[in-house]
């Protein structure tokens, strides 16, 4: 370990600093992300200090019994090339030992993670533009509140690699002032839900899950209608052609690309119902 380097669990103030670093890297985090992210796994957010100053950070969040996710892997620009990133990376991977581990890599770093045993699965395209959608008048759409939360948790579980109840409850209920969520109910059955939140720049939609492209479009129109005339972003798996069509229809242009990578067993995900993703990296 480099001299005088201490790796410890993050406090809330450390995570706020990590979010600032993320913003400087161009990741555009949400205004109220910290609480929900930390709730996902309070022991999984790590900061490296040198002489009492933060020099690197990473998240290694455990989900369920056999899955984990790496995010927020940042070394302060003036401290790069000194081995600090390697130390905190090793600590994070040790925390996730024995689990399938996922991460979202920018394309330039895909080879680096491949050397650590990660294999690319699917690409995600961030689309952005001005929200111009007209919100529909559809009685099947309702506000995402506590009463429907059990159904949202059950629905979400089918579309992500592992349970994330603690994170999702913090993400959705009670809704922070900067986040709004809606569900699509058909004869008492939840068939989709989506959340939009305010970020450093504009608003991000995510997650956006739906049984059909038509339901996804309805929810997107409701969410985008909440912030009509302002910048909006949607992270769509490239494998979901209907999701890409949705972004194009509402004049959102691709501007950023990542690749989802896994080390260990590849989760079997239903990307056809995944129109907008939310992870610790992308939001």
């Amino acid at each position: 370990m480099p001299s005088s380097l201490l790796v410890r669990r993050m406090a809330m103030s450390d995570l706020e600093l990590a979010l600032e670093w993320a913003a400087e890297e161009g990741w555009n985090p949400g205004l109220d992300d910290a609480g929900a992210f930390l709730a996902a796994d309070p022991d999984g957010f790590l900061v490296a200090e040198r002489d009492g100053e933060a020099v690197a950070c990473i998240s290694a969040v455990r989900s369920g019994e056999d899955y984990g996710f790496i995010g927020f892997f940042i070394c302060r620009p003036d401290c790069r090339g000194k081995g600090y990133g390697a130390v905190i990376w090793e600590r994070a991977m040790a925390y996730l030992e024995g689990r399938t581990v996922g991460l979202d890599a920018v394309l330039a770093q895909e080879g680096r993670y491949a050397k650590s045993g990660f294999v690319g699965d699917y690409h995600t395209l961030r689309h952005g533009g001005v929200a111009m959608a007209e919100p529909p008048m559809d009685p099947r759409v309702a506000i995402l509140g506590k009463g429907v939360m059990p159904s949202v948790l059950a629905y979400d579980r089918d579309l992500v690699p592992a349970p994330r109840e603690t994170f999702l409850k913090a993400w959705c209920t009670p809704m922070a002032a900067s986040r709004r969520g809606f569900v699509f109910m058909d004869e008492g059955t939840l068939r989709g839900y989506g959340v939009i939140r305010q970020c450093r720049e504009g608003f991000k939609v995510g997650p956006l899950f739906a049984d059909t492209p038509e339901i996804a479009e309805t929810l997107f129109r409701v969410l985008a209608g909440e912030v009509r005339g302002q910048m909006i972003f949607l992270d769509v798996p490239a494998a979901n052609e209907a999701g890409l069509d949705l972004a194009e229809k509402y004049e959102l242009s691709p501007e950023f690309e990542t690749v989802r990578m896994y080390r260990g067993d590849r989760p079997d995900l239903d990307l056809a119902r995944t129109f907008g993703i939310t992870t610790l990296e992308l939001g």
Side-chain angles (χ1 to χ4, degrees):
M1 179 179 295
S3 177
S4 72
L5 191 69
L6 169 69
V7 178
R8 62 170 175 80
R9 170 181 164 178
M10 284 189 193
M12 180 63 75
S13 59
D14 299 310
L15 183 51
E16 294 288 0
L17 177 61
L19 287 165
E20 288 297 329
W21 287 357
E24 292 169 5
E25 293 291 325
W27 295 353
N28 193 25
L31 298 186
D32 293 314
D33 284 356
F37 283 176
L38 201 58
D41 181 356
D43 294 324
F45 289 79
L46 305 175
V47 60
E49 288 184 343
R50 183 196 61 190
D51 299 328
E53 290 189 2
V55 297
C57 64
I58 198 167
S59 62
V61 171
R62 292 174 173 176
S63 297
E65 297 298 322
D66 53 12
Y67 183 71
F69 195 86
I70 292 286
F72 283 112
F73 185 29
I74 307 171
C75 191
R76 208 172 73 191
D78 63 314
C79 295
R80 292 172 183 171
K82 299 180 180 180
Y84 303 145
V87 171
I88 201 169
W89 168 267
E90 290 174 5
R91 182 71 65 86
M93 292 303 295
Y95 182 68
L96 300 179
E97 182 68 30
R99 295 167 178 257
T100 292
V101 181
L103 56 80
D104 288 312
V106 295
L107 302 188
Q109 295 296 323
E110 184 175 1
R112 175 184 180 181
Y113 291 120
K115 293 178 181 178
S116 294
F118 286 82
V119 177
D121 187 12
Y122 65 88
H123 286 224
T124 298
L125 299 174
R126 172 163 296 166
H127 294 74
V130 177
M132 299 302 293
E134 291 282 356
M137 299 298 292
D138 193 322
R140 295 171 296 180
V141 176
I143 294 174
L144 197 170
K146 289 184 178 180
V148 76
M149 197 64 208
S151 296
V152 170
L153 293 173
Y155 190 88
D156 187 84
R157 180 63 193 91
D158 287 339
L159 296 168
V160 294
R164 53 175 185 173
E165 291 188 8
T166 304
F167 165 76
L168 210 59
K169 286 178 179 178
W171 194 252
C172 298
T173 58
M175 299 300 282
S178 64
R179 285 197 298 269
R180 306 161 211 179
F182 294 89
V183 296
F184 188 99
M185 303 294 296
D186 187 9
E187 297 183 351
T189 300
L190 190 145
R191 299 193 60 200
Y193 84 95
V195 175
I196 188 169
R197 80 190 195 284
Q198 188 173 3
C199 296
R200 308 298 174 95
E201 177 190 1
F203 295 78
K204 283 185 186 176
V205 172
L208 177 58
F209 294 152
D211 285 352
T212 68
E214 293 76 20
I215 293 173
E217 182 174 0
T218 297
L219 285 168
F220 176 81
R221 288 175 58 193
V222 172
L223 295 164
E226 292 283 298
V227 296
R228 184 174 167 80
Q230 302 184 69
M231 284 296 296
I232 191 172
F233 302 93
L234 179 68
D235 295 322
V236 185
N240 187 333
E241 293 186 7
L244 299 178
D245 290 343
L246 174 65
E248 182 178 5
K249 179 176 180 178
Y250 290 96
E251 301 183 13
L252 304 183
S253 301
E255 56 182 49
F256 186 71
E257 185 173 359
T258 61
V259 56
R260 172 61 59 84
M261 305 184 75
Y262 295 108
R263 192 174 83 168
D265 295 335
R266 172 187 173 275
D268 185 16
L269 301 179
D270 187 355
L271 295 179
R273 290 195 288 159
T274 303
F275 294 83
I277 71 170
T278 299
T279 73
L280 297 177
E281 196 98 71
L282 298 177

